[in-house]
Amino acid sequence: MTAQTKVRHFLSMSDLSPGEIADVLERATAFKKGDRTRSLAGRNAVLIFEKPSLRTKLTFDIAVHELGGHPIYMAPQEVMLGKREPVKDVARMVSRVADLAVVRTFGHALIEEFAQAASIPVVNALSDAEHPCQALADLLTIRQHFGGIKGVRVAYIGDGNNVAASLALGLAATGGHLTIASPAGYELPERYAGQAISIGQKTGGTLSMVRKPASAAKGADFVYTDVWTSMGQEAETAIRLKAFAGYQVNPPLLDLAGKGVKFMHDMPAHPGEEISQGLFDDPRSIVFDQAENRLHAQAGLLDFLFS
Ligand code: CP
């Protein structure tokens, strides 16, 4: 593909309007029921990963294949974005032979630079700022367990990180109510909080930021957490363990929530840190539904981008 046509990228949850998110979730639901379109037939999708992955790599590979396309995985040591050659040269080269680039990297600016130079759709498979594909799967999971998203109450306990940012934007766009409990210094960045609040003013969605996990969990339909130390932050482990003490999600915290509360985690988890040992086996846990929904949500996204 050489022509500089207008292409849709998916770098942030805010790249999709509320109506487009609903469209992607409809397509994801149809895919989950077994409907298969051939929207990627004859197309090549390169998966460029600069960080490890189980769920994202596996589910993008399967989704591309199931939609009739050809996935090509490039491991961290192969491409070395911006180190072996300039990011924009990689983007321009890939655009000549592939139809889609799925990129997992560290700095969000790098994926923006890649998308700027690419003439094919670029999908953010996780950056330090956002994890929008995870958020699509989270919304699909909430929709399936709650019967919809509008009005749902979600408590997110812990780090106001990339997962929290995309979740906040996604829930705001779909009319959900999110309360984030974080220790001082680890709140959702102001940029995302402001964006989520602004989007929510049009949809009825709300975002609240609190300090105490119990305040967030009370009455919640879903309690969600993520690791305290994300990939690339390993040098901060000791300081983070101290900062997040008291922010563990465990059965007593879930007991404070609504009667039918469900527990969510994007995985992988660090049991003994952000969750108590064995929490994945608690009857309230839906983490494997959530992980499976990565496949369906991404298939819905790719179908949307290529239909
Ligand atoms: N949740 C998630 O993105 O998992 P992976 O890092 O295994 O892809």
Side-chain angles (χ1 to χ4, degrees), residues 52-56 104 131 134 231 266-268 294:
S53 172
L54 168 62
R55 279 145 292 272
T56 311
R104 168 170 285 202
H131 198 355
Q134 181 65 53
M231 285 180 280
D266 54 298
M267 302 167 87
R294 293 295 305 277

Side-chain angles (χ1 to χ4, degrees), residues 8-11 16 20-21 23-29 31 35-41 43-47 49 55-72 99-103 120-125 132-133 136-137 140 293-307:
R8 283 296 295 268
H9 301 304
F10 183 56
L11 308 187
L16 293 180
E20 289 171 336
I21 292 174
D23 186 351
V24 169
L25 296 182
E26 280 303 315
R27 290 169 192 267
T29 302
F31 183 92
D35 292 356
R36 292 289 181 272
T37 65
R38 302 289 293 171
S39 44
L40 289 185
R43 298 182 197 269
N44 295 305
V46 62
L47 317 179
F49 278 51
R55 279 145 292 272
T56 311
K57 178 190 169 186
L58 183 63
T59 54
F60 262 113
D61 190 304
I62 296 171
V64 170
H65 183 77
E66 290 282 311
L67 295 174
H70 173 216
I72 306 119
D99 304 280
L100 165 72
V102 176
V103 180
I120 56 175
V122 177
V123 170
N124 180 358
C133 294
L136 285 177
L140 183 63
N293 280 336
R294 293 295 305 277
L295 169 63
H296 310 303
Q298 286 154 199
L301 172 72
L302 298 184
D303 195 41
F304 167 80
L305 289 174
F306 284 90
S307 288

Side-chain angles (χ1 to χ4, degrees), residues 48-98:
I48 301 176
F49 278 51
E50 303 251 288
K51 292 181 175 184
S53 172
L54 168 62
R55 279 145 292 272
T56 311
K57 178 190 169 186
L58 183 63
T59 54
F60 262 113
D61 190 304
I62 296 171
V64 170
H65 183 77
E66 290 282 311
L67 295 174
H70 173 216
I72 306 119
Y73 172 69
M74 310 292 287
Q77 68 278 12
E78 291 182 278
V79 181
M80 302 178 74
L81 280 169
K83 298 191 184 82
R84 192 163 174 265
E85 58 192 305
V87 172
K88 72 174 186 180
D89 288 355
V90 178
R92 290 187 292 182
M93 187 275 141
V94 163
S95 297
R96 292 294 183 104
V97 296

Side-chain angles (χ1 to χ4, degrees), residues 216-238:
K218 263 180 209 152
D221 301 302
F222 295 85
V223 174
Y224 192 138
T225 191
D226 188 16
V227 291
W228 295 339
T229 306
S230 296
M231 285 180 280
Q233 297 172 332
E234 290 77 8
E236 300 172 28
T237 300

Side-chain angles (χ1 to χ4, degrees), residues 16-303:
L16 293 180
S17 69
E20 289 171 336
I21 292 174
D23 186 351
V24 169
L25 296 182
E26 280 303 315
R27 290 169 192 267
T29 302
F31 183 92
K32 187 166 185 173
K33 285 182 183 153
D35 292 356
R36 292 289 181 272
T37 65
R38 302 289 293 171
S39 44
L40 289 185
R43 298 182 197 269
N44 295 305
V46 62
L47 317 179
I48 301 176
F49 278 51
E50 303 251 288
K51 292 181 175 184
S53 172
L54 168 62
R55 279 145 292 272
T56 311
K57 178 190 169 186
L58 183 63
T59 54
F60 262 113
D61 190 304
I62 296 171
V64 170
H65 183 77
E66 290 282 311
L67 295 174
H70 173 216
I72 306 119
Y73 172 69
M74 310 292 287
Q77 68 278 12
E78 291 182 278
V79 181
M80 302 178 74
L81 280 169
K83 298 191 184 82
R84 192 163 174 265
E85 58 192 305
V87 172
K88 72 174 186 180
D89 288 355
V90 178
R92 290 187 292 182
M93 187 275 141
V94 163
S95 297
R96 292 294 183 104
V97 296
D99 304 280
L100 165 72
V102 176
V103 180
R104 168 170 285 202
T105 188
F106 290 88
H108 193 75
L110 190 148
I111 196 167
E112 285 180 335
E113 186 185 349
F114 190 105
Q116 184 73 29
S119 54
I120 56 175
V122 177
V123 170
N124 180 358
L126 179 145
S127 70
D128 287 357
E130 277 207 54
H131 198 355
C133 294
Q134 181 65 53
L136 285 177
D138 298 341
L139 295 178
L140 183 63
T141 309
I142 289 169
R143 196 169 100 143
Q144 288 172 350
H145 279 272
F146 192 67
I149 304 174
K150 197 163 181 63
V152 71
R153 291 160 301 176
V154 180
Y156 179 95
I157 313 295
D159 195 8
N161 61 11
N162 48 1
V163 169
S166 293
L167 182 68
L169 296 175
L171 282 170
T174 49
H177 304 296
L178 177 64
T179 304
I180 301 181
S182 307
Y186 296 92
E187 299 93 346
L188 184 69
E190 188 51 47
R191 172 183 160 211
Y192 289 108
Q195 216 178 344
I197 289 166
S198 162
I199 294 168
Q201 279 162 357
K202 298 181 198 106
T203 64
T206 61
L207 171 68
S208 312
M209 315 261 269
V210 299
R211 196 63 77 207
K212 291 186 180 156
S215 308
K218 263 180 209 152
D221 301 302
F222 295 85
V223 174
Y224 192 138
T225 191
D226 188 16
V227 291
W228 295 339
T229 306
S230 296
M231 285 180 280
Q233 297 172 332
E234 290 77 8
E236 300 172 28
T237 300
I239 198 163
R240 283 175 169 267
L241 283 176
K242 205 168 156 193
F244 285 97
Y247 282 79
Q248 185 183 79
V249 175
N250 47 35
L253 188 77
L254 294 182
D255 292 343
L256 293 176
K259 199 164 180 290
V261 67
K262 305 291 182 199
F263 163 65
M264 299 177 72
H265 192 303
D266 54 298
M267 302 167 87
H270 296 162
E273 295 182 15
E274 84 279 3
I275 59 166
S276 53
Q277 296 288 349
L279 199 66
F280 278 8
D281 299 315
D282 188 290
R284 294 168 286 190
S285 168
I286 55 168
V287 297
F288 291 102
D289 289 348
Q290 195 183 350
E292 178 195 323
N293 280 336
R294 293 295 305 277
L295 169 63
H296 310 303
Q298 286 154 199
L301 172 72
L302 298 184
D303 195 41

